[in-house]
Amino acid sequence: MLALINIIFIFLLAGPLLNIVRKFNHFVKKGNHLSDIWTVTLKKNILALLTLIVMEHVLTFIFYNSHYIMALVYSTLAIVAGWLLLAFLFYFIRKINSAAWIWFFYYVGQVLTLLVGLAIASKSYGYIGLESYFTASAISLYYLSIAILFCSAGVAFLALITKPNTFKTHRKSFFHPTHKKPSRNMLEHYQAAGLSKQEIEAFRSQMADSRKQIINIEANFQKTAKMRAIEIRHNIVKVSKNYFKDIVEEPNRRLDASDFLINYLPQLDDLLEKYNEINSHVAKNKQSYLILEKSAQTIDQLSQEIVEDYLKFHSETYQELEDGLKLADRMLHNESNNQTNRFSQNSKKSKMDNFDMDDPFEELKELDNEGE
């Protein structure tokens, strides 16, 4: 009976661990800030893991459970900490070079971290007491950290020397990369817009993130026919790129574009990534198709929101143009009325002149004069 409980417990323990490593993987590949790793889902799974540890303590106290299970449970803390360190290191490596071969080393590192953690747990079998379990976990984490740091440093070096255009001049993209040091002209441009040094740094960091998101959005829109149709319908990639350029040109209006930078772009990037991931699955059920359809509708709506936000950002320009058109139309209308009035006056004058020259009663007047 106790063996069955332990087996069930291990399966329960595997659930939070899988969810935690999945969230770490998403952060490593898609995270834009270090704070992105601390999601609500990750918090819930860590809380579930800690709850299971407490439950194992209760089981051990009541049933005098296997101390190997206790050692195994506490080793998961070292394993999760090792995965966390690995995730942070490869997050920075991905910033250097995002080549596909890097992820091979990342996944190998995760597997080795798991195996080393389990091996150390088996070595600590036989030790009894909470202090012993924590000591075993600390020792496990110590050796894991050294191994992870050493191996990650080697991967980072390979990523650096194999980075495309490392020793060449970078080509210009559709906008200047904002993660580089700003040129003197751009720095003067930001200062002229009234931005302080801290505001300039924050603005450039935000725009660097948005740039990556736009590049990802452009690539993901081309992966399926349905997404290509949505992109063509709204011309969303071109709109986003132009919106980006306009914000760089007017950094003092960055708050007017906050919805675009903080909400719309990250949401669209995330939804496109998840849509393509689900769509790539070989087998799909009814629920999968419903999720894909709902996601496509949301992506379409987000694209429309971005277009409307772009138009709203330029509403003042459109209003000035509309006012200019109204003014021009009014001037043309007044000019037309003036010409009509002048034509009417000339016409009346001409008729009066003709009336005086061809007076039909003139001959009668002359006859009366002769009769007198």
Side-chain angles (χ1 to χ4, degrees):
M1 182 64 183
L2 190 58
L4 179 61
I5 293 176
N6 287 332
I7 293 173
I8 295 174
F9 184 81
I10 291 174
F11 275 106
L12 291 175
L13 191 66
L17 285 176
L18 289 175
N19 289 329
I20 288 171
V21 74
R22 189 181 296 115
K23 290 302 174 183
F24 285 166
N25 293 347
H26 184 269
F27 162 74
V28 171
K29 291 188 174 183
K30 302 298 178 185
N32 293 315
H33 301 282
L34 291 176
S35 58
D36 291 346
I37 196 172
W38 194 239
T39 61
V40 175
T41 306
L42 183 63
K43 294 177 184 177
K44 290 180 179 178
N45 284 283
I46 290 178
L47 181 61
L49 184 64
L50 295 176
T51 303
L52 288 171
I53 292 175
V54 174
M55 288 175 58
E56 177 59 22
H57 271 291
V58 174
L59 288 174
T60 302
F61 179 77
I62 296 175
F63 299 106
Y64 194 71
N65 201 4
S66 171
H67 294 286
Y68 176 73
I69 299 298
M70 284 296 296
L72 179 65
V73 167
Y74 273 92
S75 70
T76 59
L77 296 177
I79 292 170
V80 170
W83 283 342
L84 177 62
L85 177 61
L86 194 68
F88 276 125
L89 293 173
F90 273 80
Y91 166 83
F92 289 108
I93 292 173
R94 191 247 299 177
K95 298 285 186 180
I96 300 173
N97 189 346
S98 59
W101 61 266
I102 290 175
W103 306 121
F104 169 78
F105 288 99
Y106 174 68
Y107 292 128
V108 168
Q110 284 186 327
V111 173
L112 291 177
T113 300
L114 177 63
L115 295 177
V116 171
L118 294 177
I120 296 177
S122 65
K123 292 291 184 182
S124 62
Y125 173 68
Y127 295 98
I128 301 174
L130 183 61
E131 183 179 350
S132 298
Y133 298 136
F134 272 121
T135 302
S137 296
I139 293 172
S140 176
L141 180 59
Y142 173 76
Y143 288 110
L144 280 174
S145 299
I146 293 176
I148 290 171
L149 288 170
F150 180 78
C151 295
S152 297
V155 176
F157 177 74
L158 290 175
L160 181 62
I161 63 175
T162 59
K163 181 181 178 181
N165 299 325
T166 300
F167 306 104
K168 297 179 182 179
T169 303
H170 290 273
R171 296 179 180 179
K172 292 183 179 180
S173 60
F174 66 92
F175 35 46
H176 296 293
T178 53
H179 60 277
K180 294 182 179 180
K181 185 177 180 180
S183 64
R184 183 174 181 82
N185 291 337
M186 289 303 298
L187 189 61
E188 292 174 354
H189 171 67
Y190 295 142
Q191 291 171 345
L195 274 67
S196 64
K197 182 178 179 181
Q198 292 78 11
E199 288 174 333
I200 292 174
E201 292 177 356
F203 175 72
R204 294 184 66 250
S205 176
Q206 175 66 64
M207 298 310 287
D209 295 338
S210 299
R211 176 180 178 273
K212 294 174 185 175
Q213 289 161 0
I214 293 174
I215 292 173
N216 291 338
I217 287 170
E218 182 177 18
N220 284 322
F221 262 126
Q222 300 303 316
K223 290 184 178 180
T224 62
K226 193 162 190 175
M227 292 299 102
R228 285 196 296 271
I230 293 176
E231 198 284 322
I232 292 172
R233 185 183 306 128
H234 299 287
N235 199 17
I236 188 63
V237 172
K238 188 173 182 180
V239 169
S240 299
K241 289 180 179 181
N242 281 279
Y243 203 172
F244 181 98
K245 291 179 180 178
D246 294 336
I247 298 169
V248 172
E249 288 296 322
E250 299 181 85
N252 55 335
R253 294 189 62 196
R254 60 195 182 280
L255 294 180
D256 296 336
S258 59
D259 285 338
F260 171 70
L261 297 174
I262 299 173
N263 297 324
Y264 297 149
L265 270 185
Q267 290 177 14
L268 184 59
D269 183 23
D270 186 56
L271 279 175
L272 281 168
E273 188 70 30
K274 291 178 179 177
Y275 179 92
N276 289 329
E277 181 181 353
I278 296 174
N279 190 67
S280 64
H281 293 170
V282 177
K284 302 183 187 70
N285 55 19
K286 184 178 179 180
Q287 184 68 20
S288 300
Y289 286 109
L290 288 175
I291 292 174
L292 286 174
E293 182 61 29
K294 186 176 180 180
S295 299
Q297 293 174 3
T298 306
I299 290 169
D300 185 82
Q301 186 178 355
L302 267 175
S303 300
Q304 180 63 34
E305 290 288 343
I306 290 175
V307 173
E308 291 177 359
D309 197 63
Y310 175 76
L311 295 175
K312 182 180 177 182
F313 185 82
H314 290 286
S315 59
E316 186 176 343
T317 303
Y318 296 139
Q319 186 63 44
E320 291 177 356
L321 178 59
E322 185 177 359
D323 293 342
L325 290 172
K326 288 181 180 179
L327 178 61
D329 184 65
R330 189 161 53 248
M331 291 176 63
L332 291 172
H333 183 71
N334 292 337
E335 182 67 22
S336 176
N337 288 338
N338 292 336
Q339 289 181 356
T340 302
N341 291 336
R342 285 197 297 269
F343 177 78
S344 299
Q345 291 174 1
N346 292 336
S347 177
K348 288 180 181 179
K349 185 174 182 301
S350 175
K351 288 179 180 180
M352 290 300 296
D353 291 342
N354 292 336
F355 181 80
D356 293 337
M357 292 175 63
D358 301 323
D359 189 356
F361 299 102
E362 186 67 28
E363 294 181 358
L364 292 176
K365 292 179 181 179
E366 290 178 358
L367 289 174
D368 291 340
N369 291 333
E370 289 178 358
E372 292 177 356

